[in-house]
Amino acid sequence: MNLRLAKKGTAVCVLAGCSSESKDKREYRTPKSLCSIPVDADLLTPLLPEGKTVGVEEKNPVPSRSLCQVNVDGKTALITSQEWRERGDGVTDVADSLARIEGGEVTSDDKYLYAGTGAVGHTASCSNPRHKEHVLFTAIQLFADGHDDATSMKKLITAYTEAVERSDICS
């Protein structure tokens, strides 16, 4: 009887692609924050490539935009951004300005646009005295080859946008 169960279990694993060896070739720890914005590493991991080292670098190209670049083995894997835009802009306007986001699906509340290689979020309750006439958007762009996961992207942009809304930038 135990042998029969073992054979069934083996067949299920063969069909499902199970392995006793880990297929994950990540030798680094997934970051728990993206430039001071906390993120659940479990949401970020599926979007990052295999590799040995990971680094996170903050960039502020202009006063209305901040970037957080995640590099794996020295190559850009993912970039998050926070950008103050004019009132009236929507997630599609922001997505149209970003190279890695093509197409995508907009949520029913128009708060998020997500695709396999990127996403945009619209902060609902964010204000800042330095940006009185603007609204804050978040974005994530994937640059790692072979990564295209709209479901994971939707989860990450939602969590990232909510974390930004709780941060000091929205005070």
Side-chain angles (χ1 to χ4, degrees), residues 78-166:
L78 179 141
I79 295 176
T80 64
S81 60
Q82 301 165 23
E83 184 173 350
W84 293 96
R85 304 275 299 233
E86 290 185 19
R87 292 193 187 281
D89 281 355
V91 291
T92 55
D93 298 309
V94 177
D96 287 345
S97 70
L98 300 171
R100 298 298 296 174
I101 305 174
E102 294 183 23
E105 187 171 329
V106 178
T107 58
S108 61
D109 60 0
D110 292 326
K111 186 171 179 177
Y112 301 103
L113 179 147
Y114 60 95
T117 57
V120 175
H122 179 203
T123 62
S125 58
C126 190
S127 63
N128 187 296
R130 291 180 288 151
H131 302 283
K132 291 180 184 177
E133 301 300 318
H134 297 86
V135 293
L136 184 65
F137 288 87
T138 59
I140 301 170
Q141 298 181 79
L142 289 181
F143 291 87
D145 291 337
H147 283 72
D148 187 324
D149 185 345
T151 301
S152 293
M153 187 57 68
K154 182 180 181 184
K155 291 176 185 176
L156 182 59
I157 193 65
T158 301
Y160 180 75
T161 302
E162 290 171 355
V164 167
E165 289 173 328
R166 292 187 301 269

Side-chain angles (χ1 to χ4, degrees), residues 9-116:
T10 302
V12 170
C13 275
V14 170
L15 292 173
C18 298
S19 172
S20 60
E21 296 179 24
S22 173
K23 290 184 180 182
D24 188 3
K25 304 283 187 197
R26 288 178 186 86
E27 295 180 27
Y28 59 84
R29 284 187 193 250
T30 301
K32 294 182 180 178
S33 71
L34 296 171
C35 301
S36 76
I37 302 298
V39 295
D40 183 341
D42 290 339
L43 297 177
L44 186 56
T45 298
L47 299 169
L48 294 178
E50 298 173 348
K52 294 182 179 196
T53 62
V54 66
V56 178
E57 180 181 358
E58 186 168 2
K59 299 178 179 189
N60 296 295
V62 294
S64 62
R65 189 173 193 204
S66 64
L67 305 173
C68 186
Q69 182 172 316
V70 179
N71 299 314
V72 175
D73 293 342
K75 296 179 184 175
T76 303
L78 179 141
I79 295 176
T80 64
S81 60
Q82 301 165 23
E83 184 173 350
W84 293 96
R85 304 275 299 233
E86 290 185 19
R87 292 193 187 281
D89 281 355
V91 291
T92 55
D93 298 309
V94 177
D96 287 345
S97 70
L98 300 171
R100 298 298 296 174
I101 305 174
E102 294 183 23
E105 187 171 329
V106 178
T107 58
S108 61
D109 60 0
D110 292 326
K111 186 171 179 177
Y112 301 103
L113 179 147
Y114 60 95

